[in-house]
Amino acid sequence: MSSADLLLTDPRALLRHLYDVAVARALPGQVLAAQLPPPPKGRTLVLGAGKAGGAMAQALEAAWPRKAPLSGLVITRYGHTPPGYRPERLELVEAAHPVPDAAGREAAARMLALTQGLGPDDLVICLISGGGSALLSLPAPGLSLEDKQAINRALLKSGAAIGEMNCVRKHLSAIKGGRLGAACAPAQVLTLSISDVPGDDPAVIASGPTVPDATSCADALAICRRYGITLPPAARAGLESGAFETPKPGDARFDGHRLVMLATPQQSLEAAAEAARALGLDAHILSDEIEGESREIGKMHAALARAVARRDAPFRKPCVILSGGETTVTVKAKGGRGGRASEFLLGAAIALQGEPGVHLLAADTDGIDGIEDNAGALVTPTTLDRAAALGLSAQRELDANNAYGFFAPLGDLVSPGPTFTNVNDFRALLIL
């Protein structure tokens, strides 16, 4: 029996294979070298932040000519330095995510200082990926790290979309929202980015440290009011007065800057779709921009899967349905564990009620679902029955925001560890 035949007889292995293909498409080592320019007349400074930062730095160091000057500083999440990578010409710092810490603040301050004295013959290569917003934490004047931590925790629990969260973050920062890019003037700036946001807007990825920002202080204030985010007096004063305004489109300091998107959610979904088709399955991509409350998006995907399973509409089975984007979790309970992928699946499992022939995988492509040690989990037609046999109530665990605690005893967690890239949510529905 061929490996393809084996996958078709094992839904779990097939779904994991599609996830692995999606992740592989976004690995910096596969896509970065081809986008590098020749060395400039002056020096080359590398600045970067994100969950893919370590792998991006590794790929750049390997591809950059050995005799050409190269220096710089890149920040990544704790535990996200690729195994065996020992930076030779760059400095790699690890810091906390999703709530920033002192290591990230100190590294961000040093990064901003490195931009001093740059000239028009110098080149700055900025390596930007998802997660950079928390890692690149340098509070605006008058704000403390503790202020930023409290606001960030509140945003993470609020159910705000990533664009909304990053609008607030960039206006309370001394380095994000285009400020890092503006500080590099008059040097040439090339931003190499890996997108983890719906729509691939570079001003949202990692809160857009190198690109001008079209949002305003008033927008940030409105978002905080909408979600009940308490602001310390200095933050409120800076936003209300406009003192925390970001550099805007048309700012001459960004003239000649160039941005290349190395990897996107859509590209990873397309790679997974091609892998499914190579196995003889029809594959359909819903969207790479799905947002909303995780459990509700799970119900929506379950309704689509039931329609295919029962009526062969709108797609004929057997098939795979793929989607991406970034859902959110409004945390209403204390003590629960689980990120948006796991909560999506728990909502879907309850809605499916063991629908025969329907299998689901949802996982974050960075390998970490929120702050847990898993990327996501799997749902099968037997999920609820197996849970009941262990005394687990799916609805009770969902009400407790405890999706991790539901799937872990079932052995259904997907736990690849850090993948060293990040193109956000990956969801696959297999209907047989």
Side-chain angles (χ1 to χ4, degrees):
M1 183 179 290
S2 70
S3 58
D5 291 334
L6 286 172
L7 284 174
L8 290 172
T9 62
D10 187 343
R12 289 171 176 264
L14 191 154
L15 289 169
R16 178 58 190 269
H17 170 66
L18 298 183
Y19 169 77
D20 290 341
V21 168
V23 169
R25 170 59 184 83
L27 291 175
Q30 305 294 321
V31 293
L32 187 144
Q35 302 299 334
L36 292 176
K41 291 181 181 179
R43 62 193 182 101
T44 300
L45 176 67
V46 178
L47 306 175
K51 296 176 187 175
M56 295 176 84
Q58 181 182 36
L60 194 155
E61 271 206 280
W64 199 252
R66 296 296 302 179
K67 295 182 179 180
L70 186 71
S71 63
L73 172 63
V74 177
I75 311 171
T76 194
R77 183 176 179 169
Y78 289 122
H80 280 60
T81 298
Y85 176 43
R86 301 290 182 269
E88 297 178 11
R89 295 180 282 176
L90 303 178
E91 181 183 0
L92 184 63
V93 173
E94 294 188 346
H97 178 282
V99 177
D101 67 356
R105 178 193 59 194
E106 292 162 7
R110 289 199 292 122
M111 185 179 296
L112 197 59
L114 288 174
T115 65
Q116 300 301 307
L118 289 168
D121 290 333
D122 298 325
L123 170 66
V124 182
I125 301 177
C126 296
L127 308 177
I128 304 300
S129 60
S133 192
L135 297 166
L136 202 62
S137 183
L138 186 61
L143 298 184
S144 67
L145 176 62
E146 290 73 23
D147 291 334
K148 291 292 293 291
Q149 289 172 328
I151 294 167
N152 209 43
R153 289 191 184 98
L155 285 167
L156 290 168
K157 294 179 179 180
S158 70
I162 185 62
E164 295 174 312
M165 287 195 285
N166 284 0
C167 174
V168 176
R169 288 164 168 167
K170 67 179 69 174
H171 283 92
L172 301 180
S173 172
I175 193 169
K176 297 191 283 284
R179 294 181 178 92
L180 178 61
C184 292
Q188 309 163 56
V189 176
L190 169 64
T191 297
L192 300 178
S193 190
I194 293 178
S195 173
D196 72 325
V197 303
D200 306 327
D201 183 351
V204 178
I205 302 166
S207 294
T210 65
V211 295
D213 173 40
T215 68
S216 67
C217 285
D219 294 328
L221 270 173
I223 291 164
C224 290
R225 292 191 190 102
R226 186 179 309 139
Y227 293 100
I229 306 299
T230 301
L231 293 172
R236 180 169 295 282
L239 293 176
E240 289 178 344
S241 68
F244 290 169
E245 201 52 89
T246 49
K248 300 304 176 198
D251 190 316
R253 290 174 293 180
F254 297 92
D255 289 351
H257 286 207
R258 194 161 66 90
L259 183 141
V260 175
M261 203 68 69
L262 296 178
T264 68
Q266 181 67 22
Q267 291 169 341
S268 284
L269 292 175
E270 289 171 354
E274 285 303 311
R277 292 171 189 136
L279 296 171
L281 289 169
D282 285 341
H284 310 279
I285 298 174
L286 292 183
S287 172
D288 68 332
E289 299 186 37
I290 294 177
E291 298 181 89
E293 192 69 27
S294 291
R295 63 182 68 191
E296 300 303 323
I297 300 300
K299 292 177 185 177
M300 180 271 286
H301 281 66
L304 176 59
R306 281 198 309 272
V308 174
R310 296 176 183 181
R311 298 192 297 273
D312 273 335
F315 309 121
R316 293 186 61 83
K317 63 181 185 230
C319 70
V320 171
I321 302 172
L322 304 168
S323 73
E326 182 164 359
T327 60
T328 53
V329 174
T330 303
V331 179
K332 298 181 179 179
K334 293 183 178 180
R337 298 179 64 189
R340 59 181 181 265
S342 303
E343 185 144 322
F344 162 90
L345 286 167
L346 192 47
I350 293 170
L352 282 169
Q353 288 296 304
E355 183 70 35
V358 176
H359 303 256
L360 286 75
L361 179 148
D364 199 311
T365 52
D366 69 357
I368 306 295
D369 189 18
I371 60 173
E372 303 301 340
D373 57 7
N374 67 312
L378 289 149
V379 166
T380 75
T382 66
T383 293
L384 296 184
D385 287 344
R386 288 185 289 120
L390 295 176
L392 291 169
S393 163
Q395 189 61 55
R396 183 174 62 243
E397 301 305 329
L398 184 60
D399 292 342
N401 294 120
N402 193 38
Y404 184 101
F406 177 83
F407 288 108
L410 300 178
D412 288 344
L413 296 177
V414 174
S415 304
T419 63
F420 313 109
T421 192
N422 182 21
V423 288
N424 232 316
D425 298 348
F426 174 85
R427 295 177 288 268
L429 288 67
L430 174 62
I431 301 101
L432 300 174

